[in-house]
Amino acid sequence: MTYKDLADLIFPNAKNISYYEEKYPKRNLPEGAVVARVAPSPTGNVHIGTIYQGLIARKMADQTKGVFFVRIEDTDQKREVEDGISQIIQSLKNFDIIPDEGMTSADTEIGNYGPYKQSDRKKIYEAYAKYLIEQGKAYPCFCTPEEVEEIRKKQESAKIRPGYYGIWAKCRNITVEEAIEKIKNGEKYIIRFKSPGREDRKIKHHDIIKGNVDFPENDQDIVIIKADGLPTYHFAHAIDDHLMGTTIVTRGDEWLSSVPLHLQLFQELGFKAPKYAHTSTLLKNDDGNKRKISKRKDPEAAASYYVEEGIPSGAVKEYLLNIANSNFENWRRANPDKPINEFDFQINKMSVSGALFDMVKLLDISKIVISKMSAEEVYEKSLTWAKKYDKELEEMLSDKDYSLKVLGIERGNKKPRKDIAKWSDVKENIIYMYDDKFLNKDQEYQYQVINNKEEIEKILKLYLEKYYNENDDKDTWFNNIKELAGELGFAKEVKEFKQNPGKYSAHVGDVSTVLRIALTARINTPDMYEIMKVLGKESIAKRFEKALK
Ligand code: GLU
């Protein structure tokens, strides 16, 4: 009896691996092209880290004329949620991270290196497991979960390194005859890798991000095919990244310690190992302590949060690049208007330790990103958001011509307004410009320096009667407010006011404030000249009337 007999008994129908090696030939790509991927598990609530990984992988592929694909790692079926795959695809799409190959929906895919969903690749894994068994590099293990647990307990009480290795690996030395007999008797088993490693030897690994790292060799006989017939992540990843031609595996650094095992698997399978780039975990500052951002505690950990809040995907990507490459900020300063795909991303410049994720900074970036958009773009994007999340805003925006004027205030000029960080800010930002919202609601007018009723009345009345002309240009408009101030005995210039303490009770700025508050019930607004232009005479009159009541 040989290993081959054992392999044939376990996987009678598995194909020879040469079939797959031919079916998935080496990719024909230019020198230096990077093939990169994201390989999330469909466990629900896509993490912002997946978007981060996807962005980096997409960027590397773009910069080198390579390929970026999405693989779904669904071999842990206990953790899978129902629409997990669609959520992943949709989230990447929401951030405009479009793969060249891979899953395009829960059950469709594109590309010649598929299937791209691990649960559809069972036959492939079986072929490679069979290949390893044939060579004596993998074996059936008959230990029950209870027995494995027993081993772990013994190791723990003896303070010995835990795991299935060396003398603890009971089934590794079972003879082929014995194994065949057990299988024929119907005993249950899983398949383990027979590690050739020794714990007292070191391996050197060069990680693209972490640099040179030394590890003890792997000596664990890890499970490669589980009781449910599906592979473990370790085994599946080696086969998939080999057959799919991945050149750089980018993944979270929680996998760094698995590198010795993975390199060993590549070696024993006869594959050339890819390069690895282990990205640092996204951290958050929690009361002075840095910790991992977690789906359980932090709403911003979920990719869906940005869509729900209406933070533009472009701003999030811009911020993620900021975290990824610290020189991005300088590049952005020097090139304020270039699209981010012109930024030369360098994976080897990513931070070795944790990357701090700061919502305040992200929102600041978002304000800048939105400030550069045209009124039309802001209109379309807030409308799309409102349709899903805010009926009242949707209704306000239904008057497109007027809304474009409102959103156009202080936009498209050298110093555009930067007061919108997300689409969910828009309503609060513009609602006072809509007469049906403003006039039909009680407003609180918090007058400042000039706050006496008679004076306010005089200002508003006289302004409308004598100093407001709908077609005035900005200089004339402002001169008129100065004249108004003068006529009512206030200083026409702030300078004059300061130079003559005691002479005036207020100055032109204070008069403007009265006009502003009467118009909007706000102390701070964008440019009042533009506001008046958009409102028009009739609305201004109604607003003054309301203020005087
Ligand atoms: N499925 C693994 C995870 O979600 C992916 C690791 C990898 O990219 O290889 O962590």
Side-chain angles (χ1 to χ4, degrees), residues 384-396:
T384 308
W385 179 86
K387 280 184 177 156
K388 204 151 168 213
Y389 300 104
D390 189 339
K391 287 287 151 228
E392 188 180 20
L393 178 61
E394 182 187 2
E395 175 212 306
M396 281 158 60

Side-chain angles (χ1 to χ4, degrees), residues 521-532:
R522 296 185 183 203
I523 301 165
N524 296 309
T525 69
D527 186 68
M528 185 161 57
Y529 172 73
E530 290 194 51
I531 287 180
M532 287 195 186

Side-chain angles (χ1 to χ4, degrees), residues 37-41 71 73 233 237 241 249-251 254-255:
R37 84 298 188 278
V38 273
S41 301
R71 180 171 71 227
E73 305 212 321
Y233 164 70
H237 128 75
D241 283 319
V249 170
T250 50
R251 60 183 181 189
E254 68 273 21
W255 293 110

